[in-house]
Amino acid sequence: MDKYVINGGNKLSGKIRIESAKNSVLPIIAGSILTNQQVVIKNCPKIKDVYAMLEILSYLGGKWTFEQGDLILNNASLNRYDIPKELASPVRSSVFMLGALLCRFKKAKIHQPGGCNIGKRPIDLHILALEDLGVKTECLGEQIICSAKEIKTNNIYLNYPSVGTTENIILCSVLSKGKTQIFNAAKEPEIVDLMKFLNSMGAKIYGAGTSTILIDGVENLSGTEFTPMFDRIECGTFMLATAITGGEIELSNCNAKNISLLTNKLCNNTCKITINNDIIYIKSGGKPKGFSFATNPYPQFPTDLQAQTMSLLCVSEGVSTITENVFENRFNHVNELVKMGADISVKGKTAIVKGVKRLNGKTVTATDLRGGASLVLAGLNAEGQTTVENVYYIERGYSDFDKKLRSLGADIIKQG
Ligand code: EPZ
């Protein structure tokens, strides 16, 4: 398995352009099957989760190719509606195909989706919502078999503002005859992006980004050329890498309003941050001060930045508490950080972090995407050499992570 070998202590400096958002591109790829015309996703990140979705498309009969950084999709020849275990279980985003396949074929058969092991990750809310749209669902072992005479319209009240469920309802009902409303919808910016993408194809969706979304079904959707939003989690990860190494970098292709909570925390934490249009400039102001936060659905602190922020807090002054409210098992990186000398104790869904002067280089193992990124950040700070194993997890969501860090002055190499 590939690993990163890092010699800590270098301050990051330089410029980096942030990629398009993984969690925007994945549901958009699912949405591309709702037209037989060409769909172009500009500047699509070449990450493992994208390739996993493209493998599903190929299996279903779709065609795709990369031209420079753009992903060109054509799903006119799509002729299957089943996704087998080997294609569904590597990624959570396979679940988005449920809504899109039901919209196109009125039937779908998918194996239980996978994704990072950060909790049970059930899909009960997806199933309840699809049933509200008139879909008949049957679970045979780990197979989910769905069918509908037609996709009904409805008012759907989500018990929890689930991102994937909100996206699945939109994908399933965008061609229905009539209006569907989602109440207590997730408000993540990536859902706004999915709405913009589908509306650029002729859909009539309103209200994404708020807790009430209206989908007014249309007859059909045309092709489109779409540039997804920036990856706010990649952006936050590099900002935290700058803070943990005491460096200063410039990030472009950003929208600071989508990452304001982290920016505010870092500003109060000794970093100087200036924003100029799509550029964020961050300069560390020396030893960071600890702070506490709790993760919650957008616009609260993003769960996808919890692990990376924990690494910074491990070497910040004072005691910080982190409460993980979104996933029930998203502290797998704690034991690995403790191996590096971090002082962390976990009580239920709260981690108490006592800042230490500096971490020590060790061999540690990534167990999920964002936890793996947090270990890299810890290695950038640590005294001596850190080896992060199982970097496959990291490469699911970050393209050329080691290369980008090296371009900013980090001493990091990838070894097979
Ligand atoms: C999306 O996952 C993202 N993944 C996750 O990013 C992100 O952490 C999460 O939203 C929250 O922002 C993609 O977009 C591909 P949820 P998703 O449905 O849709 C529970 C990353 O690192 N739940 O909002 O799975 C669930 O178990 C990844 O990029 C149910 O109980 O998130 C979790 O505790 C990780 N039943 C909570 O809701 C359901 O049917 C949030 O899940 C669905 C979800």
Side-chain angles (χ1 to χ4, degrees):
M1 295 286 264
D2 290 342
K3 56 193 171 189
Y4 291 149
V5 178
I6 305 158
N7 292 302
N10 293 10
K11 292 178 189 294
L12 295 194
S13 67
K15 296 183 180 180
I16 185 165
R17 178 180 171 74
I18 297 301
E19 302 278 353
S20 297
K22 164 178 91 80
N23 291 348
S24 181
V25 163
L26 295 174
I28 283 174
I29 290 174
S32 73
I33 75 168
L34 300 180
T35 177
N36 285 335
Q37 295 175 18
Q38 177 171 287
V39 169
V40 178
I41 301 176
K42 305 286 288 177
N43 315 325
C44 183
K46 294 180 179 172
I47 50 179
K48 288 189 166 39
D49 274 15
V50 164
Y51 284 112
M53 282 295 272
L54 295 175
E55 234 185 297
I56 292 174
L57 275 198
S58 301
Y59 173 83
L60 297 173
K63 304 255 184 302
W64 60 271
T65 180
F66 272 101
E67 275 176 20
Q68 272 89 28
D70 299 344
L71 175 60
I72 320 288
L73 298 147
N74 190 307
N75 293 306
S77 48
L78 219 68
N79 55 20
R80 298 188 73 125
Y81 54 84
D82 65 303
I83 304 177
K85 177 175 182 172
E86 63 273 14
L87 295 180
S89 51
V91 283
R92 175 75 181 176
S93 50
S94 55
V95 74
F96 301 139
M97 293 305 289
L98 252 187
L101 288 168
L102 282 162
C103 182
R104 178 166 175 145
F105 294 116
K106 306 292 178 288
K107 44 193 174 184
K109 187 164 85 170
I110 84 160
H111 187 277
Q112 183 77 16
C116 281
N117 56 340
I118 50 180
K120 289 192 294 299
R121 309 205 72 186
I123 60 165
D124 53 322
L125 299 178
H126 292 257
I127 299 299
L128 283 173
L130 293 174
E131 287 174 347
D132 282 349
L133 295 173
V135 174
K136 193 167 138 310
T137 64
E138 199 184 351
C139 291
L140 289 180
E142 293 195 315
Q143 279 277 0
I144 302 127
I145 300 159
C146 299
S147 63
K149 283 197 184 52
E150 65 162 339
I151 306 297
K152 290 198 170 58
T153 60
N154 207 338
N155 288 331
I156 301 178
Y157 297 81
L158 293 183
N159 298 336
Y160 177 88
S162 154
V163 172
T165 305
T166 302
E167 290 166 340
N168 242 340
I169 297 167
I170 292 171
L171 289 165
C172 188
S173 53
V174 71
L175 296 177
S176 305
K177 294 182 180 65
K179 292 182 171 62
T180 288
Q181 289 200 85
I182 310 171
F183 297 93
N184 194 29
K187 299 189 271 192
E188 273 67 5
E190 292 77 18
I191 297 171
V192 179
D193 228 31
L194 178 64
M195 173 184 75
K196 288 179 180 168
F197 165 74
L198 292 169
N199 285 351
S200 76
M201 297 163 78
K204 288 184 184 160
I205 305 165
Y206 311 94
T210 74
S211 53
T212 304
I213 297 175
L214 170 68
I215 303 110
D216 188 358
V218 294
E219 284 279 304
N220 52 51
L221 296 176
S222 63
T224 187
E225 183 168 305
F226 185 76
T227 304
M229 66 176 280
F230 82 117
D231 193 315
R232 61 194 169 100
I233 306 303
E234 184 191 40
C235 178
T237 303
F238 278 101
M239 289 171 73
L240 288 158
T242 306
I244 205 169
T245 58
E248 55 179 295
I249 69 168
E250 188 182 284
L251 306 100
S252 60
N253 188 38
C254 302
N255 179 348
K257 76 173 174 30
N258 290 151
I259 195 150
S260 55
L261 262 185
L262 175 70
T263 310
N264 296 340
K265 290 283 186 187
L266 290 175
C267 285
N268 300 333
N269 183 299
T270 69
C271 289
K272 182 174 178 313
I273 294 176
T274 46
I275 292 149
N276 179 7
N277 296 325
D278 79 334
I279 290 177
I280 295 176
Y281 175 78
I282 175 170
K283 180 177 170 49
S284 161
K287 180 89 177 156
K289 293 198 284 296
F291 57 85
S292 295
F293 68 93
T295 68
N296 276 300
Y298 195 88
Q300 298 306 313
F301 199 97
T303 175
D304 294 347
L305 282 174
Q306 177 258 103
Q308 305 92 308
T309 307
M310 184 184 283
S311 293
L312 176 67
L313 296 175
C314 287
V315 292
S316 298
E317 268 164 30
V319 179
S320 309
T321 60
I322 299 172
T323 303
E324 173 54 60
N325 287 317
V326 178
F327 288 99
E328 73 272 19
N329 181 25
R330 201 168 197 174
F331 283 148
N332 297 323
H333 45 285
V334 168
N335 290 340
E336 301 304 298
L337 290 170
V338 167
K339 277 184 201 165
M340 298 178 72
D343 181 346
I344 310 169
S345 56
V346 173
K347 290 186 179 52
K349 55 184 189 173
T350 297
I352 297 152
V353 184
K354 290 193 182 103
V356 297
K357 192 169 176 319
R358 194 173 177 195
L359 296 170
N360 311 307
K362 288 277 181 235
T363 294
V364 288
T365 304
T367 52
D368 60 81
L369 164 56
R370 309 302 178 184
S374 77
L375 300 178
V376 173
L377 267 54
L380 295 174
N381 168 278
E383 177 90 47
Q385 190 168 90
T386 298
T387 299
V388 180
E389 296 182 329
N390 281 3
V391 298
Y392 155 82
Y393 285 108
I394 300 172
E395 294 177 343
R396 290 187 47 187
Y398 295 93
S399 58
D400 299 326
F401 195 42
D402 56 312
K403 213 163 116 198
K404 288 172 182 168
L405 286 167
R406 226 176 5 257
S407 76
L408 295 171
D411 179 349
I412 176 172
I413 55 162
K414 180 175 173 180
Q415 283 181 356

mmCIF file of all heavy atoms in Angstrom, residues 173-190:
data_model
loop_
_atom_site.group_PDB
_atom_site.id
_atom_site.type_symbol
_atom_site.label_atom_id
_atom_site.label_comp_id
_atom_site.label_asym_id
_atom_site.label_seq_id
_atom_site.Cartn_x
_atom_site.Cartn_y
_atom_site.Cartn_z
ATOM 1 N N SER A 173 -36.705 13.570 -8.295
ATOM 2 C CA SER A 173 -37.984 14.234 -8.602
ATOM 3 C C SER A 173 -37.881 15.348 -9.638
ATOM 4 O O SER A 173 -38.859 16.021 -9.932
ATOM 5 C CB SER A 173 -38.583 14.788 -7.304
ATOM 6 O OG SER A 173 -37.626 15.584 -6.658
ATOM 7 N N VAL A 174 -36.702 15.525 -10.215
ATOM 8 C CA VAL A 174 -36.490 16.682 -11.098
ATOM 9 C C VAL A 174 -37.297 16.569 -12.398
ATOM 10 O O VAL A 174 -37.586 17.569 -13.055
ATOM 11 C CB VAL A 174 -34.970 16.865 -11.353
ATOM 12 C CG1 VAL A 174 -34.426 15.769 -12.245
ATOM 13 C CG2 VAL A 174 -34.634 18.241 -11.877
ATOM 14 N N LEU A 175 -37.717 15.329 -12.784
ATOM 15 C CA LEU A 175 -38.518 15.141 -14.022
ATOM 16 C C LEU A 175 -39.942 14.675 -13.705
ATOM 17 O O LEU A 175 -40.644 14.141 -14.561
ATOM 18 C CB LEU A 175 -37.825 14.123 -14.939
ATOM 19 C CG LEU A 175 -36.450 14.519 -15.493
ATOM 20 C CD1 LEU A 175 -35.851 13.382 -16.317
ATOM 21 C CD2 LEU A 175 -36.531 15.791 -16.334
ATOM 22 N N SER A 176 -40.341 14.866 -12.438
ATOM 23 C CA SER A 176 -41.712 14.420 -12.069
ATOM 24 C C SER A 176 -42.748 15.393 -12.634
ATOM 25 O O SER A 176 -42.424 16.513 -13.016
ATOM 26 C CB SER A 176 -41.853 14.411 -10.546
ATOM 27 O OG SER A 176 -40.844 13.634 -10.004
ATOM 28 N N LYS A 177 -44.007 14.937 -12.648
ATOM 29 C CA LYS A 177 -45.091 15.809 -13.117
ATOM 30 C C LYS A 177 -45.645 16.569 -11.907
ATOM 31 O O LYS A 177 -46.463 16.042 -11.146
ATOM 32 C CB LYS A 177 -46.210 14.969 -13.758
ATOM 33 C CG LYS A 177 -45.787 14.267 -15.041
ATOM 34 C CD LYS A 177 -46.976 13.486 -15.637
ATOM 35 C CE LYS A 177 -46.572 12.765 -16.918
ATOM 36 N NZ LYS A 177 -45.541 11.708 -16.598
ATOM 37 N N GLY A 178 -45.115 17.735 -11.647
ATOM 38 C CA GLY A 178 -45.635 18.519 -10.517
ATOM 39 C C GLY A 178 -44.530 18.960 -9.568
ATOM 40 O O GLY A 178 -43.340 18.849 -9.875
ATOM 41 N N LYS A 179 -44.978 19.414 -8.387
ATOM 42 C CA LYS A 179 -44.041 20.041 -7.445
ATOM 43 C C LYS A 179 -43.766 19.146 -6.234
ATOM 44 O O LYS A 179 -44.688 18.598 -5.639
ATOM 45 C CB LYS A 179 -44.620 21.377 -6.947
ATOM 46 C CG LYS A 179 -44.708 22.463 -8.013
ATOM 47 C CD LYS A 179 -45.239 23.760 -7.399
ATOM 48 C CE LYS A 179 -45.149 24.937 -8.353
ATOM 49 N NZ LYS A 179 -45.966 24.765 -9.591
ATOM 50 N N THR A 180 -42.505 19.014 -5.890
ATOM 51 C CA THR A 180 -42.109 18.328 -4.651
ATOM 52 C C THR A 180 -41.371 19.343 -3.780
ATOM 53 O O THR A 180 -40.604 20.160 -4.287
ATOM 54 C CB THR A 180 -41.180 17.131 -4.982
ATOM 55 O OG1 THR A 180 -41.986 16.102 -5.577
ATOM 56 C CG2 THR A 180 -40.503 16.573 -3.737
ATOM 57 N N GLN A 181 -41.654 19.301 -2.475
ATOM 58 C CA GLN A 181 -40.944 20.195 -1.557
ATOM 59 C C GLN A 181 -40.207 19.361 -0.503
ATOM 60 O O GLN A 181 -40.713 18.339 -0.047
ATOM 61 C CB GLN A 181 -41.926 21.131 -0.849
ATOM 62 C CG GLN A 181 -42.512 22.210 -1.771
ATOM 63 C CD GLN A 181 -43.071 23.379 -0.985
ATOM 64 O OE1 GLN A 181 -42.349 24.310 -0.619
ATOM 65 N NE2 GLN A 181 -44.350 23.313 -0.706
ATOM 66 N N ILE A 182 -39.031 19.836 -0.130
ATOM 67 C CA ILE A 182 -38.268 19.178 0.932
ATOM 68 C C ILE A 182 -38.214 20.150 2.106
ATOM 69 O O ILE A 182 -37.820 21.315 1.931
ATOM 70 C CB ILE A 182 -36.809 18.867 0.498
ATOM 71 C CG1 ILE A 182 -36.769 18.156 -0.852
ATOM 72 C CG2 ILE A 182 -36.103 18.045 1.570
ATOM 73 C CD1 ILE A 182 -35.358 18.019 -1.439
ATOM 74 N N PHE A 183 -38.640 19.702 3.273
ATOM 75 C CA PHE A 183 -38.559 20.514 4.489
ATOM 76 C C PHE A 183 -37.491 19.937 5.402
ATOM 77 O O PHE A 183 -37.313 18.727 5.466
ATOM 78 C CB PHE A 183 -39.928 20.538 5.190
ATOM 79 C CG PHE A 183 -40.995 21.194 4.350
ATOM 80 C CD1 PHE A 183 -41.813 20.432 3.515
ATOM 81 C CD2 PHE A 183 -41.158 22.583 4.351
ATOM 82 C CE1 PHE A 183 -42.781 21.037 2.710
ATOM 83 C CE2 PHE A 183 -42.128 23.197 3.555
ATOM 84 C CZ PHE A 183 -42.941 22.418 2.733
ATOM 85 N N ASN A 184 -36.782 20.812 6.091
ATOM 86 C CA ASN A 184 -35.612 20.442 6.893
ATOM 87 C C ASN A 184 -34.516 19.854 5.996
ATOM 88 O O ASN A 184 -33.795 18.940 6.375
ATOM 89 C CB ASN A 184 -35.974 19.441 8.014
ATOM 90 C CG ASN A 184 -34.850 19.326 9.036
ATOM 91 O OD1 ASN A 184 -34.093 20.272 9.252
ATOM 92 N ND2 ASN A 184 -34.736 18.152 9.655
ATOM 93 N N ALA A 185 -34.403 20.448 4.813
ATOM 94 C CA ALA A 185 -33.373 20.012 3.853
ATOM 95 C C ALA A 185 -31.986 20.393 4.366
ATOM 96 O O ALA A 185 -31.849 21.367 5.133
ATOM 97 C CB ALA A 185 -33.620 20.681 2.500
ATOM 98 N N ALA A 186 -30.976 19.651 3.935
ATOM 99 C CA ALA A 186 -29.590 20.055 4.232
ATOM 100 C C ALA A 186 -29.296 21.335 3.450
ATOM 101 O O ALA A 186 -29.848 21.558 2.376
ATOM 102 C CB ALA A 186 -28.620 18.948 3.825
ATOM 103 N N LYS A 187 -28.419 22.198 4.016
ATOM 104 C CA LYS A 187 -28.173 23.514 3.412
ATOM 105 C C LYS A 187 -26.740 23.662 2.877
ATOM 106 O O LYS A 187 -26.288 24.765 2.591
ATOM 107 C CB LYS A 187 -28.447 24.592 4.470
ATOM 108 C CG LYS A 187 -29.889 24.577 4.971
ATOM 109 C CD LYS A 187 -30.193 25.759 5.836
ATOM 110 C CE LYS A 187 -29.890 25.472 7.289
ATOM 111 N NZ LYS A 187 -30.443 26.499 8.206
ATOM 112 N N GLU A 188 -26.040 22.530 2.772
ATOM 113 C CA GLU A 188 -24.645 22.595 2.324
ATOM 114 C C GLU A 188 -24.502 23.299 0.976
ATOM 115 O O GLU A 188 -25.378 23.143 0.103
ATOM 116 C CB GLU A 188 -24.054 21.179 2.263
ATOM 117 C CG GLU A 188 -23.448 20.670 3.563
ATOM 118 C CD GLU A 188 -24.439 20.420 4.702
ATOM 119 O OE1 GLU A 188 -25.673 20.558 4.467
ATOM 120 O OE2 GLU A 188 -24.009 20.118 5.804
ATOM 121 N N PRO A 189 -23.417 24.028 0.752
ATOM 122 C CA PRO A 189 -23.195 24.710 -0.536
ATOM 123 C C PRO A 189 -23.166 23.752 -1.728
ATOM 124 O O PRO A 189 -23.515 24.120 -2.839
ATOM 125 C CB PRO A 189 -21.825 25.377 -0.350
ATOM 126 C CG PRO A 189 -21.599 25.431 1.120
ATOM 127 C CD PRO A 189 -22.351 24.303 1.726
ATOM 128 N N GLU A 190 -22.783 22.494 -1.467
ATOM 129 C CA GLU A 190 -22.717 21.527 -2.568
ATOM 130 C C GLU A 190 -24.127 21.207 -3.104
ATOM 131 O O GLU A 190 -24.272 20.823 -4.258
ATOM 132 C CB GLU A 190 -22.014 20.240 -2.098
ATOM 133 C CG GLU A 190 -20.523 20.404 -1.800
ATOM 134 C CD GLU A 190 -20.247 21.102 -0.462
ATOM 135 O OE1 GLU A 190 -21.169 21.156 0.387
ATOM 136 O OE2 GLU A 190 -19.126 21.625 -0.294
#
